[in-house]
Amino acid sequence: MKLRLFSRGFRFTTGNGKFYKKMDFSDPPAKASLCCEESVEGAPPTYAMYEALKDSCQNNATYFHPDDSENGQRLYQGFMTLIDHIDTVWPLVDHVRKVAPSYDFDAKSPGNGYRSFVSVVDSCVLHGLKLSRQVCTGRDALLFRKGYFVKEVESCGQLLASLGTCLHHLQTLLSWAAPGELFPIEPHSPEELFSQADTINQYCFYGRCLGFQFLPSMRGILKGISICMAGFSEAYYSHGNLISSVWTGGQYLIDPEMRARRIVNISQSASVEFCKAFWFLAESEIMKRVPSLMSSTVAVNKIITLPPEPIVMTTNEGKEMTILPPTVHIGLQGLNVRLISVNKRIGMAGEGSSTLPPAEGIIFHCHGGGFVAQSSKSHETYLREWASKLNIPILSVDYSLAPQAPFPRALEEVFFAYCWMINNFKEIGTTGKRIVFAGDSAGANLIAGCTLKILEAGLRPPEGLFMAYAPLLVSFIPSPARLLCLMDPLLPFGFMMRCLKAYASPNARGKVEKRSSKENSTSNATTPVEGNGFLKVSPSQEGASEGPSSFEEVSPSDLAELQAHKSGSERRQSSDTTISAASLTSEHTAAGITPTEDKSQQEPESENSSTLIGEPPLLHDGENKDHKKRIKTRISEAATGLMGAMSSRLAFITGSNNIRPSQEELAVRSNLDALIARSPSDEFIFSVPRDPLLSPYWADDELLKRFPPVRILTVHLDPCLDDCVMFAKKLKGLGNEVGLDVLEGLPHGFLNFSLMAKEAHEGSNLCVERIKQLLDLENHANTPDNTEL
C-alpha cells in the first residue's frame, strides 16, 4: 500500500529539511525563456525537478533490486545509472543556467544557445521523470511490460549522458568567447571543440527519445518525417528493390533503434544530393495539392519567367544604371518568380479586367531549403495565408540551387528579381508604396544579402526586412546553438554542413571526394577511426541497434533521372498557373540549369577518382531525353499523405535501372556504414570566404547603419538562433530599429508545418503581425512587443 501511495505522489526533502509535496510537471518541454529564472510563480523550482527525478529513480531501483530476472536487474541498473547522470549533469547545467541570461538580446526577448541547452536538459529531466512515474504507477500490474520499459529507461540514461557531454562542450565555448558574445573571439574549429570531450552518442537523439525537446504537437510530425527519411533512403540507395525498401522502411516505424542507426548513418555520410532528393518530396504530386485544399484560397497564383535581359534602374541620386542578368556558374537563364495574391487587381498581367485598385504594398519573398532544395511551391502552405491576411501581393523568387549554382548565383538572381519588380509594379498589382522583404532560413540570408547589394548600388531600399530563423553567419563557427544540430531531426549536422559547403565552398568538393575514396578503399567497415571525438560510434554503442547496415547501390541513371525529375519543368507545372502568354508560362529548372549547360560545368574525373554516394554523373542531353521517354508508368498512390507521395517519387528512382554501376563503383559506394569508418570531419574541412554578401553579420557597420527596420523571428531550438541574436545585437548597437521574437518548442522550418500544428500556425500569425508593422511603421513607431508563444 505504501508503494502504491508513493506512485501517486512524491515527498522529498532538500538540504534544509523542508518537505515538498508532489509537483505536477506538464508534458510540454521546459521553456527556455523561464529555465534561467531564479523563481517563477506557478512553475516548479528547477532543483526540485531534478530531485524529484532522483527520488523517483531511487524508489524504482529499490523496488527492482530484489528482482532476479534479467529485465528486473536491467531496470535496477538503468535507474541507478540515471541517478549518477543527474549528479554529474546538475553542476554543469547549473553553471550554464546562471550565465545564460547575460547573452540575451534584451529582457523582453530571452533567448540564446546557452538558454536553449539548459531547456533541452530540463526537458530531458521532465521526460525521465514522466517515464519513472509511469514505472512507479504500473510496476505492480499483471501486464507490466518490463522489456519495453528497460529500453525506455536505458535510452533516457544514454540521452542524459550525451547531454552531459554537450554541457562539457558549452564550458569550452564559454572560455572561448567574451562575456555577452556567442561567437568565439579567436578562430576555433569544430574539430578543436569536439576533440576536448568524449564521444557524443547521437543514436539516443533519433531513437526512442526523438523530439523530446519539442512541443507535443510537433513530436508526431517529426517522428513521421524521420521514419520517411529512413524509409526513403532505402529506396534511394537500393537498386530497383522497391518492395524490399518499403518493407524495411515499415520496420523503422516499430523499431526506434534501427531508425536511429539509419538516420545517424544518413546524416554522417549521405551526399547533398540525398538531402535535395528528400526535401523535394515536399513538392511531390500529393503535397502540391495540400495548400489548395487546406490553406486560404487565392485568386492569383502563377509563375512569371523573367527574361535574362538588362534592366535600366534609376538610383536614389537620379542617375541611370544598368543591371545585367546573372551569368555566373551556369550562364544566362530565365528566372522564375511566383505571384500570389488573394485578389485580382487592376493592371495585373494576364488576369483580365478587375475593378480593385493596386495594393499599396508588396512582399518580396525568398524561400528556404538550405540553398539546395525546395521552391516557392513548397512554401505555399504559409504564403497563401500571409497573402490572405495581409491582403497584398507576394512575389516569391525561385532562385537557382546549389551545388549546380553556388554562391553568388542565387543572390544575384534575387537582386535581379528585385530590380525587375521595381520597374513592373503595375504588372504585379501594386503601387509599390511600401516594400517589405521576407524570407525564412536560406531565404532570409538572401534577402539580407540583397539589401546590402541594394544599399551599395544606391537603389531604393525596402521599407523593412522580416527574417525567420536566419543563418546570418554562413560558416560553422562553434557556438552553443550550432550544437543543437546534433539532435535536430530536420537539420542534422551532416545535412547542414553539406548544404553549407555546396553553396559557399563548392571548390572544396573535388578534393574531399578524392580523399574520401582513397580512405574508403582501406577503411574497416566495422571499426571507427580513432582520434575524432565527434560523431563516431563509441565502443559502448557498437551493436546498439539491429537491422541492415548496408545500402544496396542505385545506378547512375537512377540518380540522374531523380535529379532531372526534381529539377525539371515537371516539378513546376502547376494547375494554378493561369497565364497564357509565353513569357509568363515558361519555367526553368529548379537548379537553374539545363542538362547541356550543367555538363559544361562538370570537370572530367581522373580514372582513379570516384564520386561520393548520391553524386550522379550527368547524361548527355540526347540520352537524358531517351531515358525520360522510358519512364511512363508510376506506382499508383494507394496510400494518402506523405507515404503516398514518397511512393510516387520512388517509382521514378527505381523504375528503370538500365545502367548498372561497375564493380569498382559498388565496392566504394555500396555500403553507407563503411563510410562512417573514416573521420566525417575530413569532409567538413573547408574554408568559407569572409564575404558580407554571404554572411551579412560581417557587413561593414556603416552599411548596416543604413538598414531599414528589421524584425527577426526564430525559435529556441534552432541551430541558427545565435546568428539571429548576435545580428540583432549588432543592429541594435548601431542604433537601428530591430525586434526579436524567440518562440518555444518549435523546430527550424516550422512555417512549413503551419497547417499541421496549432503552435506552428500561431507562429505564422505572429510573422504576419510583424510584417504588418513593417508595412505601416507610421502607426507602429514604438518597439514591438516580443511575444512568447
Side-chain angles (χ1 to χ4, degrees), residues 260-282:
R261 178 174 176 80
R262 190 69 166 193
I263 292 175
V264 171
N265 290 6
I266 293 168
S267 172
Q268 294 182 19
S269 302
S271 72
V272 69
E273 294 300 331
F274 174 84
C275 304
K276 291 169 67 76
F278 179 69
W279 286 338
F280 269 122
L281 287 177

Side-chain angles (χ1 to χ4, degrees), residues 30 37 260 276 291 295 297 317 327 362 557 573 731 763:
E37 302 293 333
K276 291 169 67 76
S295 190
T297 301
E317 298 177 352
T327 59
I362 179 73
S557 62
Q573 289 173 355
L731 290 177

